[in-house]
């Protein structure tokens, strides 16, 4: 269970977000007060009309009060409209802010966060959790404040009209409060069981659909059906308990309401008799109806409150995630332009610090040099690439870029100078052109076309029905691996990178694309420092030096000929017939 | 049955409610008149009696009608689930899990709401109006006509204006889905975003999308924010009429003040049932369209289980003859005229580039996809004549992305058995190279997988799936890229264990990794749905074909390195 302390703390954290919209919030509450006052005024006018004019047969007076009542009804209606729109607008502004705050946080979170957090979870924070908070603030806080005021206004009006009758009306209040308390408690436990059964049902359903192939292959139908029967049953019985609670509660409300009316009339009989002004009874009947409604609503809002607290907690948990890649207070300038130079000094690193992937790796890549990385899957090649891009900060050792420690360089300006082309590039839903420009401002259509020309991607783009406007669906499933990589080359060529990192595609690429890619590699690495994770001998022969990685260590380096002479690990990689 | 009793109580409830205001009138008229206690007490007695009847019938009505709706929901959910179990894998292939789950939860809930509150509120509102009208008429025909006019106006507005609301509501849902999709994309492609330093660009684009969403929301809010208060306003004009028209009648002596009170209470009892009609209408509409979506599941064609034969026992002989295949609703042939033989004791390799049709071939062999008659036979029996369940006893598949259930590793291996034998499970796990991993888990083979337990790596999942397949005595084992996430050393070990076993079965290894295929008795190389070449590793390397090209590409991948390790170990 949550401690009140925790609730308070969470609530405090929402305040800065609320404060930004304090004017809208105050306006909402003011409008709510006016709406309430109009509501409370209506029975009062009814009473005045009956006692002052109907009882005295004053027809012109009756017409006058009728006009006033009409005016109040219209005012109440207009105020209600303005209030609803204002309070919803407030909620939407809050939602916008919370969502943007979360999104910006996402953009700042280190790669390691995404390694260990399921996508779906993060998605929920930014979509439904923020909705729950919005609902809580606009429908919850504002409406509850309004409801409390409304109850106070009604109580005040009743006392002013007749303290004795007011007392009689309030007599039913304890019954109402106790019944509501019991009801709330029993539906809370009922709904808890419903939620539990519901989540079990969802689990079994998701697994049955997701594992349909396994279920068919391994014939586990009976067992699945039995598991489902259990949770479906507990869902039904939990709900029947909730129905029972509702079925008891609504009749109790009927008793409270009718009992209130009877008590009022009984009090009128004993204490007022014929001196009673009957309009008061009209007003009181209206007031007790109005009185219980907000109370009931508040009881229902309680669930909203609980859900919002849980959502707030999750959202703030995300906002509190450390941004491991933190920029130093005064990042070093990056003045030199031109080719990049990279130095690794005794670098040790693991995604899980207990299991280092790179062990004591040292090397130097000179400006303008072209280097090939060779090694088995899991030897640490790709990790080196991620570290050069500063997607992770290292544990031990030093990485120097143009002689500066990488930690002192702003990550974004570092990455701007590097073009990394992965084996299987990620494509966004959108057009080919969007996937090349990536919506970066300052990249014109002609830039896109020129880059595509250079990268040879234009060859296949021109064959598409809509050319550059062809839509890419579902991460580019319809494009071949070679075409996807050509698109990534084009992306890289739209900026002017000083270091090119390329992970050669291993997926079988048809010979035409292969030829195109070779030419593209030639083009993109010209006059630049380049690192190529190589899978092809033709590539290896073109580079200045080859680094051989094995189990997180750099075991050999040198030119093709030097390594051949060494007759070490490198020779094992080469196809027998070369 | 229960439901019709429920409706009897519904009408009874509205009848008793209609009676109570009369006693309030009686009391008020008595107080302002003679003010005699016995008369007052008599009225109270009757008011209490009818309140008690209201309470009882209200309770019974809710319990019966809403309770029945929950029971129908229960039944419908059982039906949907049973249907899922009867549908073949093809049904699930082209549908999103999320969509199917949503149909069997959210849509089912909409249907339930239609059956429960929907079925309760409409007769409730109608019977209330029907029972109240004669009483209102007897009190004041003129006022009653006015109130009917108001009710009609409100109902007509609800009927005509609600659909306009739905259009805006759908637009909000679309905008919300767009936000969903964008965030999903951006999280999936976060590394690309970071590497291209698109953080600012994406934030600005997201802000724009968000702004657009708010615009759609406010469209709906402005409409709804006006509409509901307007309905309430129109109905509240009844209060004004009661004061002015009713006031006139009281002054002229056509009505007593008590009768005006009674009329006033009756109108207040009508407010909620009338205004809730709009809500109920949208419930009904939602419920009907949800039922349509559920029917799509319930009416989906099933595999015909009758007249299905079994595969005869004997030495395994799989024959594929002229196999061609295309997916439903597609014209593109995925497989074209493929023929191959698989004998007991053999290991057969299948390879080829992505999209060459090798996974489709795997699923056809084990009957998840249905081949046309005459194309695939096992032990002389055409598999199109064998039911999926029976076929499952003879063939099994280890897919590339196996599905693990949220239960223990042991239960995942002995899938479908309630009390698996620990030794058999352990031995299967051992063959699949899981021994070391199991030792690292606190509860070993009884460790829970997934949400409530440990998270397995891709390689571990694949090995659990292999253990799962080995646990069964199937005579044809198809590995569809089943070792893609396993390192080459473990891969070699598992393959070795498999070849030790293969005397009693045949193994089909589908892989793009040459290392996995090297030792196969025969390798088929597929491209664009056709068999391009076949033979042993040595034979194929000797030819200047696709296989050799694949092998060369993979040379750098460190095959030599893993061999060297093996030498050291």
């Amino acid at each position: 269970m949550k401690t009140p302390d925790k609730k308070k703390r969470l609530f405090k954290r929402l305040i800065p977000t609320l404060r930004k919209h304090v004017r809208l919030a105050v306006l909402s509450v003011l409008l709510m007060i006016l709406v309430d006052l109009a509501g409370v005024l209506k029975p009062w006018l009814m009473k005045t009309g009956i006692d002052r004019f109907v009882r005295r047969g004053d027809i012109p007076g009756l017409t006058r009060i009728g006009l006033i009542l009409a005016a109040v009804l219209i005012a109440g209606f207009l105020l209600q409209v303005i209030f609803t729109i204002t309070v919803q607008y407030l909620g939407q502004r809050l939602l916008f802010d919370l969502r943007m705050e979360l999104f910006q946080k996402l953009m700042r979170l280190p790669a390691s966060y995404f390694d260990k957090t399921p996508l779906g979870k993060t998605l929920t924070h930014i979509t439904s959790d923020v909705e729950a908070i919005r609902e809580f603030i606009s429908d919850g806080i504002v409406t509850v404040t309004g409801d409390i005021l409304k109850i106070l206004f009604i109580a005040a009006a009743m006392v002013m009209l007749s303290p004795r009758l007011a007392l009689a009306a309030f007599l039913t209040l304890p019954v109402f409060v106790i019944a509501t308390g019991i009801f709330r408690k029993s539906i809370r436990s009922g709904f808890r069981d419903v939620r539990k059964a519901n989540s079990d049902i969802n689990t079994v359903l998701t697994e049955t659909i997701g594992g349909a192939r396994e279920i068919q292959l391994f014939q586990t139908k009976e067992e699945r059906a039995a598991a489902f029967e259990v949770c479906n049953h507990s869902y039904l019985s939990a709900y029947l308990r909730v129905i029972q609670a509702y079925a008891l509660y609504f009749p109790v409300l009927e008793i409270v309401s009718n009992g209130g009316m009877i008590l009022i009339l009984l009090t009128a009989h004993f204490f007022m008799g014929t001196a009673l002004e009957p309009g008061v009874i009209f007003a009181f009947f209206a007031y007790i109806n109005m009185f219980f409604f907000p109370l009931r609503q508040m009881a229902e809002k309680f669930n909203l409150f609980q859900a919002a607290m849980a959502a707030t907690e999750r959202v703030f948990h995300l906002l509190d995630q450390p941004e491991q890649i933190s920029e130093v207070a005064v990042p070093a300038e990056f003045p030199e332009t031109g080719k990049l130079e990279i130095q690794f000094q005794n670098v040790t690193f693991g995604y899980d610090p207990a299991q280092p992937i790179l062990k004591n790796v040292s090397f130097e890549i000179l400006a303008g040099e072209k280097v090939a990385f060779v090694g088995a899957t899991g030897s640490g090649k790709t990790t080196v690439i991620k570290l050069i891009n500063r997607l992770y900060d290292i544990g031990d050792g030093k990485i120097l870029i143009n002689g500066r420690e990488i930690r002192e360089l702003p990550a974004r300006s570092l990455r701007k100078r590097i073009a990394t082309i992965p084996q299987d590039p990620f494509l966004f839903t959108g057009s080919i052109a969007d996937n090349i420009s990536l919506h970066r401002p300052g990249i014109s259509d002609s830039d896109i076309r020129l880059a595509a020309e250079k990268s040879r991607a234009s060859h296949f783009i021109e064959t598409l029905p809509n050319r550059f406007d062809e839509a890419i669906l579902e991460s580019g499933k319809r494009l071949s691996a070679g075409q996807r990589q050509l698109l990534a080359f084009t992306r890289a060529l739209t900026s002017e990178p000083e270091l090119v990192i390329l992970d050669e595609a291993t997926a079988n690429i048809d010979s035409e694309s292969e030829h195109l890619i070779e030419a593209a590699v030639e083009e993109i690495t010209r006059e630049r420092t380049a690192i190529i994770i190589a899978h092809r001998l033709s590539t290896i022969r073109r580079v200045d030096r080859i680094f051989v990685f094995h189990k997180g260590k750099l075991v050999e380096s040198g030119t093709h000929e030097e390594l051949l002479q060494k007759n070490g690990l490198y020779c094992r990689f080469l196809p027998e017939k070369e | 049955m229960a439901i019709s009793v429920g409706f009897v109580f519904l009408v009874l409830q509205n009848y008793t409610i209609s009676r109570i205001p009369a006693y309030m009138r009686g009391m008020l008229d008595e107080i302002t008149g003679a003010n005699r206690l016995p008369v007052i007490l008599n009225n109270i007695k009757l008011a209490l009696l009818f309140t008690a009847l209201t309470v009882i019938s209200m309770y019974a009505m809710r319990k019966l009608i809403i309770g029945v709706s929950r029971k129908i929901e229960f039944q419908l959910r059982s039906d949907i689930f049973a249907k899922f179990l009867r549908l073949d894998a093809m049904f699930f292939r082209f549908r999103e899990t999320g969509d199917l789950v949503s149909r069997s939860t959210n849509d089912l809930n909409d249907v339930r709401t239609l059956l429960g509150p929907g079925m309760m509120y409409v007769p409730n509102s109608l019977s209330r109006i029907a029972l109240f009208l004669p009483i209102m008429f007897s009190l004041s025909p003129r006022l009653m006509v006015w109130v009917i006019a108001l009710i009609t106006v409100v109902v007509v507005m609800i009927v005509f204006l609600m659909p306009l609301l739905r259009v805006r509501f759908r637009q909000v849902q679309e905008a919300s889905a767009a936000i969903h999709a964008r965030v999903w994309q951006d999280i999936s492609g976060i590394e690309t975003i970071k590497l291209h330093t698109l953080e600012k660009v994406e934030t600005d684009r997201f802000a724009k999308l968000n702004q657009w969403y708010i615009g759609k929301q406010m469209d709906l809010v402005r409409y709804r924010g006006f509409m509901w208060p307007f309905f309430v306003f129109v109905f509240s004009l009844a209060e004004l009429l009661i004061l002015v028209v009713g006031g006139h009648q009281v002054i002229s002596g056509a009505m007593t003040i008590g009768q005006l009170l009674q009329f006033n209470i009756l109108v207040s009892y009508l407010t909620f049932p009338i205004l809730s009609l709009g809500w109920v209408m949208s419930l009904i509409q939602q419920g009907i369209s949800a039922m349509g979506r559920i029917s799509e599941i319930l009416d989906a064609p099933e595999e015909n289980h009758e007249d299905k034969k079994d595969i005869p026992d004997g030495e395994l002989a799989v024959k594929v003859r002229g196999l061609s295949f295309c997916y439903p609703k597609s014209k593109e042939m995925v497989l074209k005229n493929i023929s191959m033989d698989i004998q007991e004791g053999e290991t057969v390799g299948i390879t080829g580039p992505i999209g060459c049709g090798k996974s489709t071939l795997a699923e056809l062999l084990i009957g998840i996809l249905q081949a046309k008659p005459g194309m695939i036979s096992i032990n002389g029996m055409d598999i199109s004549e064998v039911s999926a369940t029976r076929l499952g006893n003879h063939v099994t598949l280890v897919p590339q992305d196996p599905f693990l259930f949220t239960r223990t590793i042991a239960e995942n291996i002995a899938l479908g058995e309630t009390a698996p034998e620990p030794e058999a499970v352990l031995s299967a796990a051992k063959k699949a190279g899981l021994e070391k991993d199991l030792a690292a888990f606190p509860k070993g083979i009884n460790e829970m997988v997934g949400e409530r337990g440990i998270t397995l790596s891709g390689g571990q999942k694949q090995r659990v799936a292999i253990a799962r397949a080995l646990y069964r005595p199937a005579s044809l084992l198809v590995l569809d890229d089943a070792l893609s996430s396993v390192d080459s050393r473990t891969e070699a070990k598992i393959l070795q264990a498999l070849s030790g076993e293969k005397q009693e079965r045949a193994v089909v290894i589908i892989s793009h990794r040459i290392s996995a295929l090297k030792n196969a008795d025969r390798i088929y190389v597929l491209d664009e749905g056709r068999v391009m070449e076949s033979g042993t590793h040595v034979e194929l390397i000797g030819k200047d074909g696709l296989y050799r090209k694949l092998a060369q590409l993979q040379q750098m991948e460190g095959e030599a390195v893993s061999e060297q390790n093996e030498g050291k170990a």
Side-chain angles (χ1 to χ4, degrees), chain B residues 544-560:
Chain B
D544 189 21
L546 189 54
Y547 187 82
R548 177 158 156 195
K549 213 169 126 199
L550 285 171
Q552 279 174 352
L553 269 176
Q554 285 169 36
Q555 202 72 38
M556 305 291 173
E557 276 286 272
E559 227 178 298

Side-chain angles (χ1 to χ4, degrees), chain A residues 168-169 171-172 252-266 285 288 292, chain B residues 20 24 47-48 51:
Chain A
L171 278 180
T172 56
V252 169
L253 292 182
E254 209 63 27
I255 296 175
V256 169
S257 152
N258 290 355
M261 291 197 269
I262 289 170
L263 277 173
I264 288 166
L265 286 168
L266 202 58
F285 281 14
I288 55 173
F292 288 120
Chain B
I20 295 167
M24 303 295 169
L48 285 177
T51 301

Side-chain angles (χ1 to χ4, degrees), chain A residues 408-477:
Chain A
E408 287 171 13
L409 300 169
R412 280 168 50 86
S413 44
L414 172 68
R415 289 175 197 151
K416 269 196 178 141
R417 306 185 157 207
I418 306 175
T420 306
I421 299 145
Q423 252 200 48
D424 192 8
F426 183 88
L427 299 184
F428 295 92
T429 308
S431 68
I432 296 262
D434 290 344
N435 264 290
I436 294 170
S437 75
L438 296 169
H439 303 281
R440 286 168 293 185
I443 295 182
S444 68
D445 281 359
S446 60
D447 293 340
I448 293 172
R449 268 160 226 272
L450 196 68
E453 251 349 281
K454 274 195 197 168
S455 74
R456 275 77 176 167
S458 49
H459 285 255
F460 88 84
I461 297 174
E462 292 300 331
T463 66
L464 299 171
N466 299 315
R467 304 222 163 90
F468 282 89
D469 296 327
E470 182 79 5
I472 290 181
L473 302 165
E474 283 180 67
S475 337
K477 268 178 199 159

Side-chain angles (χ1 to χ4, degrees), chain A residues 213-219, chain B residues 309-311 365-368 378 383 386-397 469 472-476:
Chain A
R213 183 180 52 193
E214 272 77 1
I215 290 168
Q216 184 177 331
L217 279 175
F218 295 94
Q219 299 134 38
Chain B
K309 297 170 186 151
D310 203 352
I311 289 173
L365 278 176
I366 54 129
I368 279 186
I378 298 180
I383 64 167
V386 182
S387 76
T389 324
R390 292 219 176 105
L391 194 59
N393 291 327
H394 297 268
V395 296
T396 194
L397 170 81
R472 320 205 114 216
S475 50
L476 178 65

Side-chain angles (χ1 to χ4, degrees), chain B residues 283-297:
Chain B
L283 287 190
I284 292 172
Q285 231 126 28
Q286 274 170 23
I288 290 170
S289 58
M291 194 61 225
R293 284 189 293 272
I294 290 176
S295 304
E296 274 175 37
I297 294 176

